């Protein structure tokens, strides 16, 4: 019950569940994983949701579902094809959710972009990093 459960607990799913009986229904637990059923986060200001170039509409939908806004992130490519990631807001001490699809035709590019986003968030002192990687 660690993996996804730890990520959603960090987003407020379990923290709020123990305090309020109505919130307890917001987190669904099974023996393998847990997921958040769409109630607002306990503290939306402490969560930042970012997306790579894999699937922007999906990321906007997930951010809206969580009740958070999509963070500002610039992904650019150098002339030789290398990827550059720049975060346009402060993520120090925040719970960061990265959404990046790794589906064809750019599987390798999207995966490298995701790894660079994780590295950038770590170097920017994010408290936790949760990756949502749909196929």
């Amino acid at each position: 019950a660690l993996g996804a459960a730890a990520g959603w607990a960090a987003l407020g799913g379990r923290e709020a569940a123990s305090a309020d009986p109505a919130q307890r229904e917001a987190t669904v637990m099974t023996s393998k994983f847990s997921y958040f059923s769409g109630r607002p986060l306990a503290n939306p200001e402490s969560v930042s949701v970012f997306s790579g170039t894999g699937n922007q509409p999906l990321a906007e939908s997930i951010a809206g579902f969580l009740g958070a806004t999509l963070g500002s992130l610039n992904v650019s490519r150098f002339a030789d094809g290398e990827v550059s990631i720049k975060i346009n807001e402060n993520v120090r001490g925040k719970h960061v959710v990265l959404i990046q699809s790794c589906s064809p035709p750019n599987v390798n590019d999207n995966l490298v972009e995701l790894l660079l986003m994780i590295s950038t968030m770590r170097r920017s002192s994010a408290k936790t990093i949760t990756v949502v990687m749909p196929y």
Side-chain angles (χ1 to χ4, degrees):
L2 291 177
W8 290 119
L11 294 178
R14 284 201 195 189
E15 295 162 1
S18 62
D20 183 14
Q23 280 292 91
R24 191 176 346 221
E25 297 171 5
T27 303
V28 179
M29 293 291 298
T30 67
S31 61
K32 300 260 183 194
F33 63 92
S34 68
Y35 62 92
F36 191 69
S37 65
R39 301 212 182 178
L41 298 172
N43 186 5
E45 293 81 30
S46 70
V47 178
S48 294
V49 181
F50 293 94
S51 173
T53 58
N55 196 337
Q56 278 297 113
L58 176 64
E60 291 169 0
S61 175
I62 292 173
F65 185 77
L66 290 174
T69 59
L70 201 57
S72 178
L73 177 79
N74 288 341
V75 179
S76 58
R77 305 216 182 260
F78 293 107
D80 64 352
E82 295 295 322
V83 179
S84 172
I85 307 287
K86 181 180 178 188
I87 307 169
N88 297 324
E89 59 187 63
N90 185 12
V91 295
R92 181 180 300 273
K94 290 188 176 184
H95 302 287
V96 174
V97 178
L98 299 177
I99 303 167
Q100 176 71 330
S101 176
C102 289
S103 59
N106 300 326
V107 176
N108 292 334
D109 293 340
N110 289 343
L111 186 58
V112 168
E113 189 177 305
L114 174 63
L115 294 173
L116 287 173
M117 285 192 298
I118 292 170
S119 174
T120 303
M121 295 301 171
R122 286 189 64 199
R123 293 169 193 256
S124 297
S125 301
K127 185 173 184 178
T128 62
I129 302 170
T130 303
V131 174
V132 177
M133 192 170 73
Y135 178 72

